[in-house]
mmCIF file with all atom_site columns, all heavy atoms in Angstrom:
data_model
loop_
_atom_site.group_PDB
_atom_site.id
_atom_site.type_symbol
_atom_site.label_atom_id
_atom_site.label_alt_id
_atom_site.label_comp_id
_atom_site.label_asym_id
_atom_site.label_entity_id
_atom_site.label_seq_id
_atom_site.pdbx_PDB_ins_code
_atom_site.Cartn_x
_atom_site.Cartn_y
_atom_site.Cartn_z
_atom_site.occupancy
_atom_site.B_iso_or_equiv
_atom_site.pdbx_formal_charge
_atom_site.auth_seq_id
_atom_site.auth_comp_id
_atom_site.auth_asym_id
_atom_site.auth_atom_id
_atom_site.pdbx_PDB_model_num
ATOM 1  N N   . ILE A 1 155 ? 102.770 173.411 53.725 1.00 0.00 ? 186 ILE A N   1
ATOM 2  C CA  . ILE A 1 155 ? 102.997 174.762 53.179 1.00 0.00 ? 186 ILE A CA  1
ATOM 3  C C   . ILE A 1 155 ? 102.867 175.829 54.270 1.00 0.00 ? 186 ILE A C   1
ATOM 4  O O   . ILE A 1 155 ? 103.324 176.946 54.119 1.00 0.00 ? 186 ILE A O   1
ATOM 5  C CB  . ILE A 1 155 ? 102.104 175.088 51.957 1.00 0.00 ? 186 ILE A CB  1
ATOM 6  C CG1 . ILE A 1 155 ? 100.623 175.053 52.368 1.00 0.00 ? 186 ILE A CG1 1
ATOM 7  C CG2 . ILE A 1 155 ? 102.370 174.155 50.819 1.00 0.00 ? 186 ILE A CG2 1
ATOM 8  C CD1 . ILE A 1 155 ? 99.726  175.818 51.432 1.00 0.00 ? 186 ILE A CD1 1
ATOM 9  N N   . ILE A 1 246 ? 86.587  168.831 36.777 1.00 0.00 ? 277 ILE A N   1
ATOM 10 C CA  . ILE A 1 246 ? 87.330  169.697 35.871 1.00 0.00 ? 277 ILE A CA  1
ATOM 11 C C   . ILE A 1 246 ? 88.789  169.895 36.255 1.00 0.00 ? 277 ILE A C   1
ATOM 12 O O   . ILE A 1 246 ? 89.604  170.362 35.447 1.00 0.00 ? 277 ILE A O   1
ATOM 13 C CB  . ILE A 1 246 ? 86.671  171.084 35.724 1.00 0.00 ? 277 ILE A CB  1
ATOM 14 C CG1 . ILE A 1 246 ? 86.457  171.724 37.104 1.00 0.00 ? 277 ILE A CG1 1
ATOM 15 C CG2 . ILE A 1 246 ? 85.345  170.980 35.012 1.00 0.00 ? 277 ILE A CG2 1
ATOM 16 C CD1 . ILE A 1 246 ? 85.998  173.163 37.033 1.00 0.00 ? 277 ILE A CD1 1
ATOM 17 N N   . SER A 1 275 ? 99.224  174.521 33.483 1.00 0.00 ? 306 SER A N   1
ATOM 18 C CA  . SER A 1 275 ? 98.899  174.444 32.062 1.00 0.00 ? 306 SER A CA  1
ATOM 19 C C   . SER A 1 275 ? 97.771  173.405 31.911 1.00 0.00 ? 306 SER A C   1
ATOM 20 O O   . SER A 1 275 ? 97.578  172.557 32.788 1.00 0.00 ? 306 SER A O   1
ATOM 21 C CB  . SER A 1 275 ? 100.105 173.967 31.242 1.00 0.00 ? 306 SER A CB  1
ATOM 22 O OG  . SER A 1 275 ? 100.402 172.634 31.632 1.00 0.00 ? 306 SER A OG  1
ATOM 23 N N   . GLN A 1 277 ? 97.795  170.801 30.259 1.00 0.00 ? 308 GLN A N   1
ATOM 24 C CA  . GLN A 1 277 ? 98.425  169.452 30.327 1.00 0.00 ? 308 GLN A CA  1
ATOM 25 C C   . GLN A 1 277 ? 98.582  169.008 31.799 1.00 0.00 ? 308 GLN A C   1
ATOM 26 O O   . GLN A 1 277 ? 98.317  167.851 32.143 1.00 0.00 ? 308 GLN A O   1
ATOM 27 C CB  . GLN A 1 277 ? 99.807  169.429 29.671 1.00 0.00 ? 308 GLN A CB  1
ATOM 28 C CG  . GLN A 1 277 ? 99.806  169.554 28.169 1.00 0.00 ? 308 GLN A CG  1
ATOM 29 C CD  . GLN A 1 277 ? 99.550  171.019 27.698 1.00 0.00 ? 308 GLN A CD  1
ATOM 30 O OE1 . GLN A 1 277 ? 99.534  171.957 28.448 1.00 0.00 ? 308 GLN A OE1 1
ATOM 31 N NE2 . GLN A 1 277 ? 99.340  171.135 26.401 1.00 0.00 ? 308 GLN A NE2 1
ATOM 32 N N   . LEU A 1 310 ? 97.477  183.443 52.537 1.00 0.00 ? 341 LEU A N   1
ATOM 33 C CA  . LEU A 1 310 ? 96.335  182.592 52.173 1.00 0.00 ? 341 LEU A CA  1
ATOM 34 C C   . LEU A 1 310 ? 95.127  182.991 52.988 1.00 0.00 ? 341 LEU A C   1
ATOM 35 O O   . LEU A 1 310 ? 93.992  183.069 52.471 1.00 0.00 ? 341 LEU A O   1
ATOM 36 C CB  . LEU A 1 310 ? 96.725  181.129 52.434 1.00 0.00 ? 341 LEU A CB  1
ATOM 37 C CG  . LEU A 1 310 ? 95.690  180.065 52.030 1.00 0.00 ? 341 LEU A CG  1
ATOM 38 C CD1 . LEU A 1 310 ? 96.397  178.845 51.481 1.00 0.00 ? 341 LEU A CD1 1
ATOM 39 C CD2 . LEU A 1 310 ? 94.798  179.641 53.140 1.00 0.00 ? 341 LEU A CD2 1
ATOM 40 N N   . PRO A 1 354 ? 85.667  155.476 47.598 1.00 0.00 ? 385 PRO A N   1
ATOM 41 C CA  . PRO A 1 354 ? 85.981  154.862 48.883 1.00 0.00 ? 385 PRO A CA  1
ATOM 42 C C   . PRO A 1 354 ? 86.917  155.767 49.685 1.00 0.00 ? 385 PRO A C   1
ATOM 43 O O   . PRO A 1 354 ? 87.892  156.322 49.109 1.00 0.00 ? 385 PRO A O   1
ATOM 44 C CB  . PRO A 1 354 ? 86.702  153.571 48.502 1.00 0.00 ? 385 PRO A CB  1
ATOM 45 C CG  . PRO A 1 354 ? 86.340  153.323 47.102 1.00 0.00 ? 385 PRO A CG  1
ATOM 46 C CD  . PRO A 1 354 ? 85.985  154.630 46.461 1.00 0.00 ? 385 PRO A CD  1
ATOM 47 N N   . GLU A 1 359 ? 93.858  159.615 59.711 1.00 0.00 ? 390 GLU A N   1
ATOM 48 C CA  . GLU A 1 359 ? 94.222  160.068 61.074 1.00 0.00 ? 390 GLU A CA  1
ATOM 49 C C   . GLU A 1 359 ? 93.013  160.640 61.753 1.00 0.00 ? 390 GLU A C   1
ATOM 50 O O   . GLU A 1 359 ? 92.208  161.345 61.130 1.00 0.00 ? 390 GLU A O   1
ATOM 51 C CB  . GLU A 1 359 ? 95.270  161.174 61.058 1.00 0.00 ? 390 GLU A CB  1
ATOM 52 C CG  . GLU A 1 359 ? 96.681  160.759 60.801 1.00 0.00 ? 390 GLU A CG  1
ATOM 53 C CD  . GLU A 1 359 ? 97.645  161.929 60.933 1.00 0.00 ? 390 GLU A CD  1
ATOM 54 O OE1 . GLU A 1 359 ? 97.405  162.871 61.730 1.00 0.00 ? 390 GLU A OE1 1
ATOM 55 O OE2 . GLU A 1 359 ? 98.657  161.926 60.199 1.00 0.00 ? 390 GLU A OE2 1
ATOM 56 N N   . ASN A 1 406 ? 104.670 160.844 70.861 1.00 0.00 ? 437 ASN A N   1
ATOM 57 C CA  . ASN A 1 406 ? 105.837 161.131 70.019 1.00 0.00 ? 437 ASN A CA  1
ATOM 58 C C   . ASN A 1 406 ? 106.120 162.618 69.916 1.00 0.00 ? 437 ASN A C   1
ATOM 59 O O   . ASN A 1 406 ? 105.525 163.420 70.634 1.00 0.00 ? 437 ASN A O   1
ATOM 60 C CB  . ASN A 1 406 ? 105.584 160.497 68.631 1.00 0.00 ? 437 ASN A CB  1
ATOM 61 C CG  . ASN A 1 406 ? 104.333 161.038 67.982 1.00 0.00 ? 437 ASN A CG  1
ATOM 62 O OD1 . ASN A 1 406 ? 104.113 162.225 67.913 1.00 0.00 ? 437 ASN A OD1 1
ATOM 63 N ND2 . ASN A 1 406 ? 103.500 160.089 67.538 1.00 0.00 ? 437 ASN A ND2 1
ATOM 64 N N   . PRO A 1 433 ? 100.663 150.409 77.423 1.00 0.00 ? 464 PRO A N   1
ATOM 65 C CA  . PRO A 1 433 ? 99.329  150.702 76.825 1.00 0.00 ? 464 PRO A CA  1
ATOM 66 C C   . PRO A 1 433 ? 98.516  151.591 77.797 1.00 0.00 ? 464 PRO A C   1
ATOM 67 O O   . PRO A 1 433 ? 98.474  151.355 78.974 1.00 0.00 ? 464 PRO A O   1
ATOM 68 C CB  . PRO A 1 433 ? 98.667  149.331 76.657 1.00 0.00 ? 464 PRO A CB  1
ATOM 69 C CG  . PRO A 1 433 ? 99.444  148.410 77.537 1.00 0.00 ? 464 PRO A CG  1
ATOM 70 C CD  . PRO A 1 433 ? 100.803 148.972 77.709 1.00 0.00 ? 464 PRO A CD  1
#
Side-chain angles (χ1 to χ4, degrees):
I186 63 159
I277 55 172
S306 67
Q308 289 78 8
L341 184 144
E390 283 185 32
N437 56 51

